[in-house]
Amino acid sequence: MSVWTVSYEGFDPKKEKLREALCTLGNGYFCTRGAAAEASANEVHYPGTYLPGGYNRLKTEMAGKIIENEDLVNMPNWLPLSFRIDHGRWFSLSKVELLEYEQKLDMEQGILTRNFRFKDDESHITQVISTRIVSMADPHLAAEKLVLHPENWSGRVQFRSAIDGRVINDGVARYRDLNSRHLEPMTTHNGAEDVMCLMARTNQSRLEIAEAARTRIYRNGHLVIPDRETLEETGYIAQLFELEADQKDTLTIEKVMSLYTSRDPAISEIGLETCKKVSRAEAFDELQAAHGEAWKRLWHRFDMKFTDRDPDRGARIAKILHLHTFHLLQTASLNTVTMDLDVGIPSRGWHGEAYRGHIFWDELFIFPFLNLRLPEITRELLMYRYRRLEEARFAAKEAGYSGAMFPWQSGSNGREETQTIHLNPRSGRWNPDNSHLQRHVNSAIAYNIHQYYQATRDTEFISFYGAEMILEIARFWSSLATYNRDMDRYEILGVMGPDEYHERYPDTDGSGLNNNAYTNVMAVWVIERAMAFLDILPGDVAEHLSLRLDLQKEEIGRWRDITRRMFIPFHGDGIISQFQGYEDLEEFDWEGYQQKYDDIQRLDRILGAENDTPNRYKVSKQADVLMLFYLLSAEELSTIFEKLGYTFEYETIPKNIDYYLRRTSHGSTLSRVVHSWVLTRKQRSKSWELFNEALCSDVADIQGGTTPEGIHLGAMAGTVDQVQRGYTGIEVREDVLWFNPCLPEELSELKLELRYRGYFLDVDITCDQLSVSALRAKEHPISIGYQEEVKELYGRDSVTFSL
Amino acid sequence: MSVWTVSYEGFDPKKEKLREALCTLGNGYFCTRGAAAEASANEVHYPGTYLPGGYNRLKTEMAGKIIENEDLVNMPNWLPLSFRIDHGRWFSLSKVELLEYEQKLDMEQGILTRNFRFKDDESHITQVISTRIVSMADPHLAAEKLVLHPENWSGRVQFRSAIDGRVINDGVARYRDLNSRHLEPMTTHNGAEDVMCLMARTNQSRLEIAEAARTRIYRNGHLVIPDRETLEETGYIAQLFELEADQKDTLTIEKVMSLYTSRDPAISEIGLETCKKVSRAEAFDELQAAHGEAWKRLWHRFDMKFTDRDPDRGARIAKILHLHTFHLLQTASLNTVTMDLDVGIPSRGWHGEAYRGHIFWDELFIFPFLNLRLPEITRELLMYRYRRLEEARFAAKEAGYSGAMFPWQSGSNGREETQTIHLNPRSGRWNPDNSHLQRHVNSAIAYNIHQYYQATRDTEFISFYGAEMILEIARFWSSLATYNRDMDRYEILGVMGPDEYHERYPDTDGSGLNNNAYTNVMAVWVIERAMAFLDILPGDVAEHLSLRLDLQKEEIGRWRDITRRMFIPFHGDGIISQFQGYEDLEEFDWEGYQQKYDDIQRLDRILGAENDTPNRYKVSKQADVLMLFYLLSAEELSTIFEKLGYTFEYETIPKNIDYYLRRTSHGSTLSRVVHSWVLTRKQRSKSWELFNEALCSDVADIQGGTTPEGIHLGAMAGTVDQVQRGYTGIEVREDVLWFNPCLPEELSELKLELRYRGYFLDVDITCDQLSVSALRAKEHPISIGYQEEVKELYGRDSVTFSL
């Protein structure tokens, strides 16, 4: 079994959407998505193409209310490439008899191929091999090559190569009542020789997009210049080429495509730039070679090697981890760094229209992995937040708070994009949506800034951007917290935790819940970190920043007080209550519902359809309290709790895990990742089981249909990070890179190459040994720790610990 | 004498353009320029406003040839703000009797004020105080406040506040035959309440610009809501406000303005964003306070304090150095960093239309200063080059070379923008222009990358961007160099050095010259540095980069060979020839011409008008050979020369300085900077004299009219750097920060705060002592050196050396 190839034999229209989602190509600058087979059955390939960051805001009336949406916009489709024989019917998969069909994604090289043979109504048998890349070597380029073999016929072949700007957004069924047209045509034109160009703009934000394509045709490897005819309609341009084909000829059509948008740097006018680009581009094979080299370099940085005691299982896991990393690198791409793209990390990658490309908190599961590989990507993605800091400050002010309140869902200009009503597709009803009360997204941002700094010691970043964000978030938490004189403690009222099943107390009209434990503890953690950053900043940066933010001693005093008196709810025997009053909820009839329904992951929809609500039950969509054990080490938690005057014992963690694990439906793909992680050391086989389930989130589309709407990037990265940080126990604390390996019994060895504070480190872990070797670096020494022992590493040294 | 204020008493229409240029306000994101008095004599203030990076390309027929220009585009003018009394004539400086007039630029706070009293035809006496800022605290905001005191009248006052999008580019007389219209109107509209908005786009690049203004009126400090009338014409919008004024009333009109362009990150639609911004903006006084705080922080980083034995002279010099730093910080702004502006450093700042905002090599005189203050700015400005690397590669390829050939003049998309014909305004003739043959700009870029790295040790930057650029430039030099079998040496043929008086051999039709010494030596230096970078890069970055660039051993072999056999021309007794054959040129009749013409700085134009050419003479517009002594230390030069098999003696430097100093007209403002620098140690009084002349470049407009077309940023930065690095002898070599102080006799003490490899260092130099103290830093120790002695500095330590 190849660990580098995803392949599907045979064409299955029912599975096509899922397969296409999993085989999506992209490079961060643009992503192409496969399928939507019905929509374009007359072409060999049918992808919609998304434009990262190409947001568009449209007011739509729905269920009697005006909804303002921020939609991910489909780009003009550059892929239409079809052919016909003797002026017959244009090729369509559904209109021919398929003799063979194989689709293959080569993840090592970033190449998608389709190889098929078909017989048409005239009994022509033809073999077709299509190869497609979206260049990692040059963000502006993509290319496709179609090779056609007439097996039993000779005749005239006509090729049609088009750019279609009439695309709409209809990839998600339940959004189809929303306005689907976001693109308006500008112009089409033929450039020099074999180049055609189409320009369009988004209809609200007026982002301009230019695409150009150069189409070349080869017969038996020799360039031919067939007659060319151009078709131009509003928002559509096509070139038709006609030539004679003999039986056994090899006809090749190469389409190289370039893309620019009006936000790109270093351009004059996008029409000129895109035509220039495609005219200067090399031929397909050279583009493919450079693209393959770029992927090779990426894999060199990102691969991890492990030995499974069962080689078949190992290969299956390796393949899925490759797929997860592949999509991660296409979305959180190195091109976001080199292209100044100003994008964040959307929950569903750039792969589908679900969640409309919005940015949630998924970066919490993604950045810690990237930090130890190519932290430069994280830095650029954190800048997405920094550029929206002012909007977050305004949001806090409008809501009556201080500091910065980042939105739960974020789009182009950083305002809150969370819907205020939400469709239950099971009941068909629109319900109020309080999910914007998930203020915990702010702690996720602060956590990532801290993690990035720990991994890189990038003083410039924290001096200019990082510290300011974390201070403003701390300030927000402080202003959101209210002092309760009766308890002599601070509280955070009216918020939602990550578990979206609970958005209010049952039988009330209020919104939000009081003292969500995850929110409260993380608020304290953020405040602690903010105070620590004031000590870390070099020179007089802290002083200048405090002046600029008007940060007074009294305010810091309140912060310090909050870290000593924040309220955390408990119930039963040391169980941290998900929120205050959780213990009063009813236990849920898990067995009954499991019998009644096939799939109870989305209990909210099931209960909603029964006129009931999960608000009434001790039931979670996903890990909430357990997030604490996912993000913070036992040492850190115990310090926080002790300072707050709460008991934190050795048994607190397993007891809570056990309690909540039994009450979770895993309605979010992130849930299994967190549960697997927190069980790594305490319940290795259960952890391994959940890890394997999490691996299947997308490849098996375990939520039944959500993957074709876009992959689940948090879960993808989370599983890779379970191997990278979960099983190695990596943690940076007090300038030491600590390891605490705990391989699952199924694995005998794990090898990683990590980046840490300027070093490239080769890490090798077996059952009884940990070794860390440095590649060439002219950096200052670093410290590596295991248990009580800390060793210094310098230059090309290596250090070894017995486990 | 205040060292922080530039002030002019009395209004002088002849000097107004110069004064306005010197008092230009800006913040990097946008710059406002004063004057163009004729164009808008009916307003209190008349500035055109430039948009950095808002290039526009227009084909223009000129002298029978099609010229493609890339022009800096004037933004819509947000400043029109006028008034009239009792529906009389709108206020115009030229139509009233001025009783008092003062214009004042407060550089410490970044505030421009005008204070005047006038009497109109009706004998109304009125006092007006106008205050203007372009915010350093918020890149999108600018504001103006106009305070009006009726001294001897009561009546109805009408204010008119406008945004004018009908502006053209006509700031440079000799460009007026070129197309001056680059802006086309889009829309105007009234936003909520007191906000108006105008949108326009550039007519070639379709960059969109939105400006909004909020105008508020106060009587005796209380907000009043007078009747408002709106005037809208194509490309123009104005609000008229009318109210009653009593004698002794204080009427205040506050205009707050916001600006967005379609290239900005984190926006939805520019019209929305700009209106939102201005609606949320605070009142003038708060904006001014935040702006002043931002300048305070900047000055804290950038100021230098010195003690002149003559306090008056010291104050005069300090004021000019402040002015130079002020304009430097407005152009090479911190906002280019935080706003991802993708701009380079234009020769004339963003202050005037001369050179159309093009980027030349001036950064060579600017970045080394910034590196030791806020290196983050340099990094961002170097990224301007990196984003145009591909275009430079294409240019090299097109010209038959390898690697990257950056253009002499650069604009939006990085192609060569140098004019091919050039107007001699003295003769009225258009002459062919070979100045694009100034390939030495490539060495300037490489030099700056190296300097930046030395000051910061920013491994990430060189790994991702810097090394790639320097390797590609080395490769270009290697491919440009040709091997001459007869000499057994490499040559570089057909180029131009910095001295633009020499662009071909006399009496030939060829273009360029052979073996320009500066070019050849710097090519060797670049190649040496490129090879060194391959050793410095961490991990396997060098290997990956070599693979990506297909850098083979043979090529490195050729590089090594070139560093041993590059040809350098000499003549006479150890004089480095400016280029091969220089010794055959005629000596120039300096005395004769000095008698014949008042000003012989631009000898090219004088000789051209006489049908002669400087190509025939031993005469330089500016330092060429001497640039070597400006950029490289004697140690470095001697190593290079020895390796090449040439003699480099202690006397080589003074001998060459002496030779060329006598043959230079200083036709470039950069020339005196270089001469002053190279004489620092050898001829202190001559150096001091040239330094003082260089200080006057702009304040006295010594080129007679060029300053109103835009300040000379290279000379401005060069003079500041003469103090920072020239008099301190700062050089980073082998990881040691070396000092070699040599204060002019006129100065008794010099204090600087420098940034070096994560440290903030306080440097204090007197005649007999050098001390360097570190502010808080958690960095690794650094080494400070003086003569043979090297001391380690760590944490908050300080080190002292006796001089």
Side-chain angles (χ1 to χ4, degrees), chain A residues 55 57 70 138 140 186 199 201 204-208 260 262-273 276-277 280 282 293 296-298 300-301 334 337-340 342 374 376 379-380 383-384 386-388 390-391 394 397 412-415 452 457-460 463-465 533-545 547-548 753 755 758 760 775-781, chain B residues 55 57 70 138 140 186 199 201 204-208 260 262-273 276-277 280 282 293 296-298 300-301 334 337-340 342 374 376 379-380 383-384 386-388 390-391 394 397 412-415 452 457-460 463-465 533-545 547-548 753 755 758 760 775-781:
Chain A
Y55 293 110
R57 187 168 293 151
E70 180 137 310
D138 188 325
H140 294 285
M186 289 170 66
M199 291 205 278
R201 68 161 74 85
Q204 184 267 342
S205 50
R206 286 196 311 284
L207 179 82
E208 294 185 3
Y260 277 82
S262 54
R263 293 244 171 100
D264 288 334
I267 60 169
S268 164
E269 186 276 329
I270 56 168
L272 288 179
E273 301 298 339
K276 184 178 85 179
K277 184 81 192 178
R280 291 181 185 175
E282 294 181 290
E293 283 294 325
K296 194 172 149 189
R297 290 190 298 273
L298 275 175
H300 182 90
R301 285 273 175 281
L334 190 53
V337 182
T338 54
M339 294 280 298
D340 302 316
D342 186 34
L374 255 172
E376 293 78 8
R379 186 189 206 275
E380 197 53 34
M383 287 302 293
Y384 173 86
Y386 184 78
R387 293 190 197 95
R388 286 151 184 83
E390 201 203 323
E391 192 66 32
F394 182 77
K397 197 173 151 196
S412 55
N413 66 357
R415 60 166 206 181
Y452 168 77
R457 238 170 158 278
D458 181 347
T459 309
E460 189 214 333
S463 299
F464 279 89
Y465 315 107
F533 265 112
L534 286 174
D535 279 337
I536 289 168
L537 291 169
D540 38 25
V541 171
E543 191 187 323
H544 283 199
L545 194 55
L547 272 173
R548 183 149 66 85
E753 188 185 295
R755 185 120 170 90
F760 290 92
L775 273 80
R776 182 175 75 175
K778 302 206 166 175
E779 301 295 324
H780 297 281
Chain B
Y55 293 111
R57 187 168 293 153
E70 180 138 311
D138 188 325
H140 294 284
M186 289 171 66
M199 290 204 277
R201 68 160 74 86
Q204 184 267 343
S205 50
R206 286 196 310 283
L207 179 83
E208 294 184 3
Y260 277 82
S262 54
R263 293 244 171 98
D264 288 334
I267 60 170
S268 164
E269 187 274 330
I270 55 169
L272 288 179
E273 301 298 339
K276 184 178 86 180
K277 184 81 193 180
R280 291 181 184 175
E282 294 181 290
E293 284 293 325
K296 194 172 150 190
R297 290 190 299 272
L298 274 175
H300 182 90
R301 287 272 175 280
L334 189 54
V337 181
T338 54
M339 293 281 299
D340 302 316
D342 187 34
L374 254 172
E376 293 79 8
R379 187 189 205 275
E380 197 52 34
M383 287 302 293
Y384 173 86
Y386 184 78
R387 293 189 197 95
R388 286 149 185 84
E390 202 203 323
E391 192 67 32
F394 182 76
K397 198 173 152 196
S412 56
N413 65 358
R415 59 166 208 182
Y452 169 75
R457 236 170 160 278
D458 180 347
T459 309
E460 190 214 332
S463 299
F464 279 89
Y465 315 107
F533 266 111
L534 286 175
D535 278 337
I536 290 167
L537 292 168
D540 38 25
V541 172
E543 191 189 323
H544 283 199
L545 194 55
L547 272 172
R548 184 150 66 85
E753 189 186 294
R755 184 119 170 92
F760 290 92
L775 274 80
R776 183 176 74 174
K778 302 206 166 174
E779 301 296 323
H780 297 281

Side-chain angles (χ1 to χ4, degrees), chain B residues 431-469:
Chain B
N431 302 309
D433 189 322
N434 286 322
S435 58
H436 71 279
L437 293 173
Q438 293 192 59
R439 305 299 182 210
H440 64 82
V441 62
N442 287 282
S443 296
I445 295 167
Y447 184 84
N448 272 333
I449 293 165
H450 179 257
Q451 286 278 328
Y452 169 75
Y453 179 71
Q454 289 304 321
T456 60
R457 236 170 160 278
D458 180 347
T459 309
E460 190 214 332
F461 177 78
I462 59 153
S463 299
F464 279 89
Y465 315 107
E468 185 178 351
M469 281 195 274

